[in-house]
Amino acid sequence: MLERGLASTRVADIAKATNVSGGLIHYHFATKDDLITAMLRATSETEVKRLREIIAGPGTAVQRLDRVLRYYIPSSRSDQSWILWLDAWALGVREPHVREILLELEGGWIEILAEVISEGVAKGEFFCDDPVGAAERLDGMLDGLVVRYTLHSGAMSRKRLLEHARIAATHEVGIPRSAFPA
């Protein structure tokens, strides 16, 4: 699916790539849409689970927020997970079953970001009247910057993208830029 894209991949392509028969795939998934839905849902659940593990780790609210930001930003322009999600976003415009999973994933990210921000506020580390709104703005800004980073080679480095994310986060949670690592 990463080679051909979600919309262009056929069940026969998947069968060939996984060295199983198309019949076996159809035994488990009635349609290609069912297969795509299962794959995206499993990927989404894995990512949200990993994000929960990241925020459960030790550290201050700033350290936890920084770990979330660094996890969000792809390690390279060819990051397979981000390529999958970019493709899913395009497909989700027309396919309700994909859109539903994308909304679940986005909701998970926003919920976790808001949780980190709320805990920082409760501990007196952050100053934010609307943690959910701050999480929504950070999520939307990150999505846009990651699309730009992924699609426009040379337009922005990962380091610069992380710096933008940290600056935006400082504005959202009311702390100085110096609170984040250099």
Side-chain angles (χ1 to χ4, degrees):
M1 289 191 182
L2 291 171
E3 285 178 20
R4 299 180 66 122
L6 295 171
S8 298
T9 299
R10 302 169 301 144
V11 171
D13 299 324
I14 297 166
K16 182 178 178 183
T18 57
N19 202 28
V20 299
S21 72
L24 181 61
I25 292 173
H26 281 294
Y27 176 79
H28 293 284
F29 304 99
T31 67
K32 183 181 96 168
D33 287 349
D34 291 345
L35 174 61
I36 288 172
T37 299
M39 188 244 344
L40 290 175
R41 181 155 281 121
T43 303
S44 173
E45 289 169 359
T46 298
E47 288 191 16
V48 170
K49 180 182 176 191
R50 177 67 184 125
L51 189 55
R52 288 238 169 253
E53 291 168 359
I54 287 170
I55 68 163
T60 64
V62 172
Q63 291 168 332
R64 294 170 61 227
L65 180 56
D66 196 53
R67 285 195 306 263
V68 170
L69 297 177
R70 285 185 284 121
Y71 179 68
Y72 199 99
I73 298 169
S75 57
S76 73
R77 284 181 174 78
S78 59
D79 182 292
Q80 298 299 299
S81 177
W82 264 101
I83 290 170
L84 171 70
W85 291 118
L86 289 173
D87 196 20
W89 283 346
L91 191 60
V93 170
R94 291 175 186 81
E95 301 291 339
H97 66 282
V98 174
R99 186 176 323 122
E100 178 184 329
I101 294 165
L102 292 168
L103 291 173
E104 289 170 11
L105 177 63
E106 182 180 22
W109 273 96
I110 290 169
E111 178 183 313
I112 290 167
L113 271 169
E115 185 179 314
V116 171
I117 295 168
S118 293
E119 289 174 7
V121 169
K123 291 179 180 178
E125 294 178 54
F126 293 158
F127 306 94
C128 178
D129 293 335
D130 182 11
V132 173
E136 290 170 339
R137 287 185 294 277
L138 285 171
D139 177 72
M141 185 236 15
L142 284 167
D143 284 347
L145 287 175
V146 169
V147 168
R148 183 171 182 223
Y149 168 75
T150 304
L151 297 179
H152 304 293
S153 178
M156 182 182 314
S157 67
R158 185 178 192 279
K159 181 179 178 180
R160 185 163 172 80
L161 197 161
L162 181 58
E163 180 63 14
H164 286 320
R166 286 172 171 163
I167 289 169
T170 64
H171 293 293
E172 291 294 347
V173 300
I175 59 174
R177 168 60 186 92
S178 60
F180 281 102

Coordinates of all heavy atoms in Angstrom, one line a residue, residues 6 13 15 24 26 33 47-48 51 61-63 69-70 73 100 112 125 133 149 154 162-163 170 173:
L6 N -3.1 3.9 -1.0 CA -4.3 3.1 -0.5 C -5.3 2.9 -1.6 O -5.9 1.8 -1.8 CB -4.9 3.9 0.6 CG -4.0 4.0 1.9 CD1 -4.7 4.9 2.9 CD2 -3.8 2.6 2.5
D13 N -2.3 -7.2 -5.3 CA -1.0 -6.6 -4.9 C -0.6 -7.0 -3.5 O 0.6 -7.3 -3.2 CB -1.0 -5.1 -5.1 CG -1.4 -4.6 -6.5 OD1 -1.0 -5.3 -7.4 OD2 -2.1 -3.6 -6.6
A15 N -1.7 -9.6 -1.8 CA -1.5 -11.0 -1.7 C -0.1 -11.3 -2.2 O 0.7 -12.1 -1.6 CB -2.5 -11.7 -2.6
L24 N -7.2 -16.1 0.6 CA -7.0 -16.1 2.1 C -7.3 -14.7 2.6 O -7.9 -14.5 3.7 CB -5.6 -16.5 2.4 CG -5.2 -16.5 3.9 CD1 -6.1 -17.4 4.6 CD2 -3.7 -16.8 4.1
H26 N -9.4 -12.5 1.2 CA -10.8 -12.4 1.2 C -11.6 -13.2 2.3 O -12.7 -12.9 2.6 CB -11.4 -12.7 -0.2 CG -11.2 -11.5 -1.2 ND1 -11.8 -10.3 -1.0 CD2 -10.4 -11.4 -2.3 CE1 -11.4 -9.5 -2.0 NE2 -10.6 -10.2 -2.8
D33 N -11.8 -2.3 1.2 CA -12.1 -1.3 2.2 C -12.1 -1.9 3.6 O -11.6 -1.2 4.5 CB -13.5 -0.7 2.0 CG -13.6 0.2 0.7 OD1 -12.5 0.5 0.2 OD2 -14.7 0.6 0.3
E47 N -0.2 3.7 17.4 CA 0.4 5.1 17.6 C -0.1 5.7 18.9 O 0.6 6.3 19.6 CB 0.1 5.9 16.4 CG 1.0 5.5 15.2 CD 0.9 6.5 14.0 OE1 0.5 7.6 14.2 OE2 1.3 6.1 12.9
V48 N -1.4 5.6 19.1 CA -2.0 6.2 20.4 C -1.4 5.5 21.6 O -1.1 6.1 22.6 CB -3.5 6.2 20.3 CG1 -4.1 6.6 21.7 CG2 -4.0 7.2 19.2
L51 N 2.0 6.8 22.1 CA 2.0 8.1 22.7 C 1.7 8.1 24.2 O 2.3 8.9 24.9 CB 1.0 8.9 21.9 CG 0.9 10.4 22.1 CD1 2.2 11.1 21.9 CD2 -0.1 11.0 21.2
A61 N 6.3 18.6 33.0 CA 5.3 18.7 32.0 C 6.0 19.2 30.7 O 5.6 18.8 29.6 CB 4.3 19.7 32.4
V62 N 7.0 20.1 30.8 CA 7.7 20.6 29.6 C 8.4 19.4 28.9 O 8.4 19.3 27.7 CB 8.8 21.7 30.0 CG1 9.6 22.0 28.8 CG2 8.0 22.9 30.5
Q63 N 9.1 18.5 29.7 CA 9.8 17.4 29.1 C 8.8 16.4 28.4 O 9.1 15.9 27.4 CB 10.6 16.7 30.2 CG 11.8 17.4 30.7 CD 12.4 16.9 32.0 OE1 11.7 16.2 32.8 NE2 13.7 17.1 32.1
L69 N 6.0 16.3 21.1 CA 6.3 17.1 19.9 C 7.3 16.3 19.0 O 7.2 16.2 17.8 CB 6.8 18.4 20.2 CG 5.9 19.4 20.9 CD1 6.6 20.7 21.3 CD2 4.6 19.7 20.1
R70 N 8.4 15.8 19.7 CA 9.4 15.0 18.9 C 8.9 13.8 18.3 O 9.3 13.4 17.2 CB 10.6 14.8 19.8 CG 11.4 16.0 20.0 CD 12.7 15.8 20.8 NE 12.4 15.6 22.2 CZ 12.7 14.6 23.0 NH1 13.3 13.6 22.4 NH2 12.4 14.5 24.2
I73 N 6.7 14.6 15.0 CA 7.5 15.0 13.8 C 8.2 13.8 13.2 O 8.9 13.1 13.9 CB 8.5 16.1 14.2 CG1 7.7 17.4 14.7 CG2 9.3 16.5 13.0 CD1 8.5 18.4 15.3
E100 N -13.4 8.3 9.4 CA -13.8 7.9 10.8 C -12.5 7.5 11.6 O -12.3 8.0 12.7 CB -14.7 6.7 10.8 CG -15.1 6.2 12.2 CD -16.0 5.0 12.1 OE1 -16.8 4.8 11.2 OE2 -15.8 4.1 13.1
I112 N -4.5 13.5 24.3 CA -3.3 13.3 25.0 C -2.5 14.6 25.1 O -2.0 14.9 26.2 CB -2.4 12.2 24.3 CG1 -3.1 10.9 24.5 CG2 -1.0 12.2 24.8 CD1 -2.6 9.8 23.6
E125 N 3.2 24.5 36.2 CA 4.3 24.6 35.2 C 3.8 25.3 33.9 O 4.6 26.0 33.3 CB 4.8 23.2 34.8 CG 5.5 22.5 35.9 CD 5.9 21.1 35.5 OE1 6.6 21.0 34.5 OE2 5.5 20.1 36.2
G133 N -8.3 23.6 23.6 CA -8.1 24.5 22.4 C -6.6 24.6 22.1 O -6.3 24.6 20.9
Y149 N 6.9 19.8 5.4 CA 8.2 19.2 5.5 C 8.3 17.9 4.6 O 9.3 17.7 4.0 CB 8.3 18.8 7.0 CG 9.5 17.8 7.3 CD1 10.8 18.3 7.3 CD2 9.2 16.5 7.7 CE1 11.8 17.4 7.6 CE2 10.3 15.7 8.0 CZ 11.6 16.1 8.0 OH 12.6 15.3 8.3
G154 N 13.7 20.3 1.1 CA 14.5 21.5 1.3 C 13.8 22.7 1.8 O 14.4 23.7 2.2
L162 N 10.8 21.3 14.4 CA 10.7 21.1 15.9 C 10.8 22.5 16.6 O 10.1 22.7 17.6 CB 11.8 20.2 16.4 CG 11.9 19.9 17.9 CD1 10.6 19.3 18.4 CD2 13.0 19.0 18.2
E163 N 11.7 23.4 16.1 CA 11.8 24.7 16.7 C 10.4 25.4 16.5 O 10.0 26.1 17.5 CB 12.9 25.5 16.0 CG 13.1 26.9 16.6 CD 13.5 26.9 18.0 OE1 13.9 25.9 18.6 OE2 13.4 28.0 18.6
T170 N 5.2 27.1 23.4 CA 5.5 28.1 24.5 C 4.4 29.1 24.5 O 3.9 29.5 25.6 CB 6.8 28.8 24.3 OG1 6.8 29.6 23.1 CG2 8.0 27.8 24.3
V173 N 1.2 27.5 26.1 CA 1.2 27.1 27.6 C 1.8 28.1 28.5 O 2.0 27.9 29.7 CB 1.9 25.7 27.8 CG1 1.1 24.6 27.0 CG2 3.4 25.7 27.4

